[in-house]
Amino acid sequence: MKVKPGSKVDQLFYDAAGQLTIKIKAPAQDGKANVYLVEFLAKLFGTARSNVTIMAGFTNAHKRIEVDTNDEKLRAVLDSLM
């Protein structure tokens, strides 16, 4: 997943290459973007912030993220991107 901080809008989408990409408003400084990213994904998937974990890529635009949510909610969010 690629994260683009400092955007004008919060948005989850597939880019032209088919990669899952997230634009977030928070700036990429002092970990603010990572905190905001976790909050944004928790809200999007309807789960607690503690169920969203950045597994790799804390200081990189490419991140590996784990979201603990039910399959139905996950499928609904991903299907809405198509």
Side-chain angles (χ1 to χ4, degrees), residues 5 12-13 22 29 31 33 39 45-47 53 60-61 68-69 76-77 82:
L12 175 66
F13 62 97
I22 299 178
Q29 58 183 218
E39 291 173 356
F45 287 100
T47 190
T53 307
N60 194 319
D68 186 13
T69 188
V77 170
M82 300 293 183

Side-chain angles (χ1 to χ4, degrees), residues 1-3 6-7 16 18 22 24 26-27 34 42 44 46 50 52-53 63-64 67-69 72 74 77 81-82:
M1 170 179 301
K2 185 171 183 179
V3 179
S7 297
I22 299 178
I24 55 173
N34 287 338
L44 183 68
S50 60
V52 178
T53 307
K63 300 184 184 304
R64 190 166 38 107
V67 179
D68 186 13
T69 188
E72 186 176 303
L74 177 65
V77 170
L81 302 177
M82 300 293 183

Side-chain angles (χ1 to χ4, degrees), residues 1 3 22 24 31-42 48-68:
M1 170 179 301
V3 179
I22 299 178
I24 55 173
K32 291 178 185 176
N34 287 338
V35 171
Y36 190 89
L37 175 63
V38 168
E39 291 173 356
F40 173 69
L41 289 173
R49 290 187 313 242
S50 60
N51 291 334
V52 178
T53 307
I54 299 174
M55 304 300 288
F58 295 98
T59 60
N60 194 319
H62 295 278
K63 300 184 184 304
R64 190 166 38 107
I65 298 172
E66 181 178 297
V67 179
D68 186 13

Side-chain angles (χ1 to χ4, degrees), residues 1-34:
M1 170 179 301
K2 185 171 183 179
V3 179
K4 296 181 177 184
S7 297
K8 292 183 179 183
V9 296
D10 293 328
Q11 183 181 15
L12 175 66
F13 62 97
Y14 286 105
D15 66 11
Q19 181 176 358
L20 195 57
T21 303
I22 299 178
K23 288 183 178 181
I24 55 173
K25 295 177 186 175
Q29 58 183 218
D30 302 325
K32 291 178 185 176
N34 287 338

